[in-house]
Amino acid sequence: MNLLLNKIQKEYAFSDFQMKLIRYAVSVIFYDFSKLLCFAIYFHFTGKTIHFLFAAIPLFLLRTRNGGIHFRNYWQCFVFSFIYLFFAINLFPCLFPMPVLTATLVLILCALSNYLIGPNVSAQKRKTDLTFIRKAKWETFFLILAVAVLFFFFPQNEYLAVSLWTIILHTLQLVFVRIQNNQNHNLKGGEHI
């Protein structure tokens, strides 16, 4: 891969900084694709392919717009993501089925929470501007509301139950990150006094 990237740098006269960005983007795509492929294979062999899609699509849309918990290590991220998906697909819909009105209310609260808390982007990503933040807030808000409407009209759909729990878990991780960031901010502020 380094040979290919070196060739690209020479051919297009990219700076070292630009090449670092390209390497970062390629590694992120590779890591995310490899995780996605492993999860898809696992859930396919456990007979949960459609369930996986109903978890992965909302998760992808929410993560790319609103962020979430970020890990510095591939394997930590892999394990956390697997547990997240396993719980959203296999455990929570069975252990905690929700009546339609409760689920709709929970999704509306999740939409409001995501709007108020998000986005939480990785420290390695570029600083986001106000336009991106506003757009991300509204996109996640309407995505979650769309799932709430679907769930309201199709409450017995087992796939939407997976999407419901994916959204709940995503919202909980955003809340966790916000609390953690506030604690870190307060610690840093306390050190300067």
Side-chain angles (χ1 to χ4, degrees):
M1 184 162 117
N2 283 337
L3 290 173
L4 178 63
L5 290 174
N6 289 338
K7 184 177 179 181
I8 290 171
Q9 183 174 17
K10 287 178 185 175
E11 178 135 352
Y12 296 102
F14 287 134
S15 69
D16 288 340
F17 177 73
Q18 290 170 320
M19 289 308 298
K20 281 185 180 181
L21 292 176
I22 291 171
R23 276 189 178 90
Y24 176 75
V26 168
S27 66
V28 166
I29 291 168
F30 174 75
Y31 290 152
D32 285 346
F33 181 74
S34 67
K35 284 187 293 189
L36 185 65
L37 183 62
C38 290
F39 299 154
I41 290 169
Y42 171 80
F43 287 109
H44 173 73
F45 282 113
T46 60
K48 299 280 189 169
T49 304
I50 304 297
H51 296 83
F52 171 69
L53 292 174
F54 271 79
I57 292 170
L59 177 61
F60 173 77
L61 294 172
L62 291 169
R63 289 283 298 183
T64 57
R65 305 314 295 160
N66 242 13
I69 294 176
H70 300 283
F71 295 93
R72 295 175 191 218
N73 178 302
Y74 173 82
W75 290 107
Q76 289 173 335
C77 182
F78 184 93
V79 169
F80 179 83
S81 299
F82 179 78
I83 292 169
Y84 180 111
L85 290 169
F86 186 84
F87 277 45
I89 293 169
N90 293 319
L91 290 182
F92 290 151
C94 297
L95 294 176
F96 307 109
M98 284 192 212
V100 63
L101 292 177
T102 303
T104 304
L105 179 62
V106 166
L107 285 168
I108 290 169
L109 290 173
C110 287
L112 290 170
S113 298
N114 275 263
Y115 180 84
L116 295 171
I117 296 171
N120 173 51
V121 294
S122 169
Q124 296 174 339
K125 287 187 178 180
R126 63 175 169 75
K127 294 292 181 189
T128 55
D129 62 6
L130 195 55
T131 304
F132 172 83
I133 291 171
R134 285 184 186 145
K135 185 177 177 187
K137 285 176 176 282
W138 283 112
E139 287 173 351
T140 55
F141 181 80
F142 287 120
L143 169 70
I144 297 171
L145 280 185
V147 173
V149 169
L150 287 171
F151 197 88
F152 184 79
F153 287 109
F154 307 103
Q156 300 305 317
N157 187 302
E158 65 183 283
Y159 305 124
L160 288 174
V162 170
S163 295
L164 163 73
W165 281 103
T166 301
I167 291 168
I168 292 170
L169 290 173
H170 175 77
T171 303
L172 290 174
Q173 71 170 313
L174 278 182
V175 169
F176 173 78
V177 169
R178 172 56 65 100
I179 291 168
Q180 186 179 30
N181 287 344
N182 286 343
Q183 288 176 344
N184 290 342
H185 178 71
N186 289 339
L187 287 176
K188 287 180 182 178
E191 292 173 358
H192 293 25
I193 295 176

